[in-house]
Every structure is written in structure tokens, then in C-alpha cells.
Amino acid sequence: ETAVFQTPNYHVTQVGNEVSFNCKQTLGHDTMYWYKQDSKKLLKIMFSYNNKQLIVNETVPRRFSPQSSDKAHLNLRIKSVEPEDSAVYLCASSRRDWGYEQYFGPGTRLTVL
Amino acid sequence: GDSVTQTEGLVTLTEGLPVMLNCTYQTAYSTFLFWYVQHLNEAPKLLLKSSTDNKRTEHQGFHATLHKSSSSFHLQKSSAQLSDSALYYCALNRGNYAQGLTFGLGTRVSVFP
């Protein structure tokens, strides 16, 4: 099956802990992204990653960092979670071509207590 | 910066009636416009996309026409089905894949029998 896969589906943690989420795509795409979907369903780009070039949304706090081993994988690490990090984190991938649609994974729901 | 404005909040309608969700955008760049649909607890999925002025694009009974003169890309369907109940996002990509997508706030559609 070709798709975007994310693990875990859910994660509950305490303030100050470190968490890491995984994303893998089997679509043969060369660009991957992380988006944050907050409690009001607002979707915002956090990172895009292509050929070792990382583009960071300037509003993303430094405690967030993407980690990639190859073009099919882009993980997300949060160094010390805050309550406002509670959200659904969506991974996506696309070809590099302009206008090519992005394919999304099902998301990881993070709850910070 | 880029922005997308959609019909706000919740749209409720009766099965069989037409659906129209408004989308307008602002950008200084060339654009691709997209409509994504997200059913409950699922990944956002591409519904429509366009970059061609005044050309109607159709998929799964939905259609939209990009009008660059009015910066609009409204989504329409002639007859709503119960399965159309979902969250709909209008989004733009401004010609640089690395920027990701800029999403509107989303419109929730609930279709009742």
C-alpha cells in the first residue's frame, strides 16, 4: 500500500517531557512536511524538508525539530513539551514540482497534561 | 503574507440541496488552489486543485472554478449527500513547494436527512 504512515496515533505526556513522532511515506515523493492542527482545526505548516534542505516556519518554537534519515522518513521531536503543544500533528509528502498535491497521514494526537 | 478566507464555521443543510463554500485568497505570487476534505479522525484528502484561470475542475461531484480577477475558488456541489459531512479546507501553494500549503480556517459541513 502506498500512503503516508504516522506513529503513534495518540500520545499523552506531562509538561517538560520529550516526545518523538514518526512519519514514513511510500509514495516515492521527495518532499515531506509537518503541519500542526490545533483544537480549532487551524492547520499550519511547521516544516518542509527536501534533499536535506529544511525550511522552518518562523513561528515554530525551537523545542521542535524535524529529523530525517532518508527522503521517505521525517520524524518530529519536541524537546520539552508545553501545554500549548497539545494538537494533532499531521505529516504530508509531495513531489517537488510546483502545484503537486500533498498527501497527508492520519495524524498523531498529542495531549500534554 | 499569503492568506485564505473561507466560509466560516458550520454549514448545515438538508440532503439533496446544493452546497457552496466560499474561498478567497490573497497572495502576491502565482498560485495553485486546492480544496481538501477531512472526515472525522481521518487524514485530509485532496478534493480539487487548479491553477488555470476560469477553468472548471470537477471531482466526485464537486466542482470549482479559479477566478484570478476576484481571487476566488468557491466549491460547489449540486446535491449534497450524507457522506459529504466533513471539514473542508481551501488552501493555496504560491509556487514554492518548500513553503507548504497555506490553509483557510476550514468549514464544517453537516448534511441531515
Side-chain angles (χ1 to χ4, degrees), chain A residues 71-109:
Chain A
K71 67 178 185 179
H73 296 83
L74 185 66
N75 300 332
L76 180 66
R77 187 182 79 154
I78 313 174
K79 211 169 180 180
S80 176
V81 296
E82 300 284 341
E84 61 264 30
D85 299 338
S86 295
V88 175
Y89 292 88
L90 290 162
C91 178
S93 72
S94 76
R95 275 182 9 200
R96 187 174 179 173
D97 311 27
W98 174 50
Y100 198 78
E101 58 264 32
Q102 295 186 15
Y103 290 80
F104 285 83
T108 294
R109 181 178 296 277

Side-chain angles (χ1 to χ4, degrees), chain B residues 3 6-7 9 11 18 43-44 46 49 54 56 61 75 77 86 99 113:
Chain B
S3 67
Q6 294 183 233
T7 300
V11 172
L46 180 70
K49 74 171 190 179
N54 297 319
R56 174 172 162 144
L75 181 68
K77 187 176 186 184
Q99 300 290 335

